[in-house]
Amino acid sequence: MERNKCIFLDRDGTINVYKGLISKPDDIELIDGAAEAIKLVNKSEYLCIVISNQPGVAKNLYSLEEAGQINEKLMKLLNEKGAYLDDIFICPHHPDKGYPEENSEFKIKCDCRKPDIGMIEMAQDKYNIDLSKSYIIGDSTVDIQTGINCNIKTVLVKTGLAGSDGTYRVCPDYVANNLYEAVNLILRGELNGFIKAE
Ligand SMILES: [Mg+2]
Ligand SMILES: [Zn+2]
C-alpha cells in the first residue's frame, strides 16, 4: 500500500495569530490566507495535520478539555472557509516544576513535546505517513528543530515568532512569508521560488 504524504503544521503563529498564551477559544483568530492555504492542502495529495505544544495544560492555565475547545474553534473557523484539518495532536506536558497550581499529572518529561518527535511518530503510525515525502511548517525554531529531529523538510514562516524565539540554532530548509506562500510553493514544487535559508 502506498504511504501518505503529510504537511505538518504548527498552530499558534502559523495558522492563527500569535498572541502569547492562547487560553480560550475566543483567542483564536486566523492569519490571513491560512484557511485558503489549508484548503489547497486538502485538495492535494498531502494530509494536513497540526502538531502543537500546549504546556498551559500542565501549568493549569487551562484544562485539557478547554484545550480541545480551543482546537474546535480553530476547526470551526477553518470549516467556515471550506478547509479542514485531518487531525490535531497536542502535547499537554511541561517538564519544569514550580508553577503555581500546576497539574502534576502533566508535569512530566514526555517524548511528545516538540522538538521531540512523539507527535510526528503518533501521526506516522496512525496515517501510514512517509516522512521522506513530508514537510513541517512553523514559526519557531522549535518547529524547525522538530523537523530536523525526524529528518523531514522544514519551512519557517515569517508570521508569529518568525524564528525570533532563538531557542535552537537551526537553519530551516526554506523560509516563506506566511502559510499561504509556504503551501503554494510546496504544492507547485517551485522550490526556486523559496528564499533558500542561509
Ligand atoms: Mg508557533
Ligand atoms: Zn508531551
Side-chain angles (χ1 to χ4, degrees), residues 52-132:
S52 178
N53 286 352
Q54 294 299 324
V57 177
K59 297 175 186 175
N60 230 358
L61 300 170
Y62 46 88
S63 67
L64 198 56
E65 189 185 357
E66 286 165 326
Q69 290 164 357
I70 294 166
N71 285 335
E72 278 167 27
K73 175 71 184 291
L74 176 67
M75 297 272 220
K76 178 170 174 281
L77 292 180
L78 291 171
N79 290 347
E80 284 170 3
K81 296 196 164 191
Y84 63 89
L85 298 169
D86 290 290
D87 212 334
I88 301 181
F89 292 84
I90 68 163
C91 165
H93 307 114
H94 194 263
D96 303 333
K97 303 273 181 196
Y99 291 86
E101 311 288 329
E102 65 192 16
N103 187 338
S104 57
E105 184 191 347
F106 298 107
K107 269 288 176 188
I108 57 165
K109 170 80 183 85
C110 64
D111 64 3
C112 50
R113 178 171 163 79
K114 295 182 286 185
D116 283 338
I117 62 170
M119 290 190 283
I120 300 243
E121 288 178 334
M122 273 187 268
Q124 185 184 19
D125 285 351
K126 187 170 173 185
Y127 295 101
N128 189 32
I129 291 168
D130 183 349
L131 292 184
S132 73

Side-chain angles (χ1 to χ4, degrees), residues 29-49:
E29 179 188 342
L30 294 178
I31 290 172
D32 281 347
E36 292 74 13
I38 291 168
K39 202 169 160 180
L40 288 175
V41 181
N42 297 151
K43 285 194 237 163
S44 78
E45 53 193 338
Y46 289 88
L47 296 170
C48 191
I49 295 177

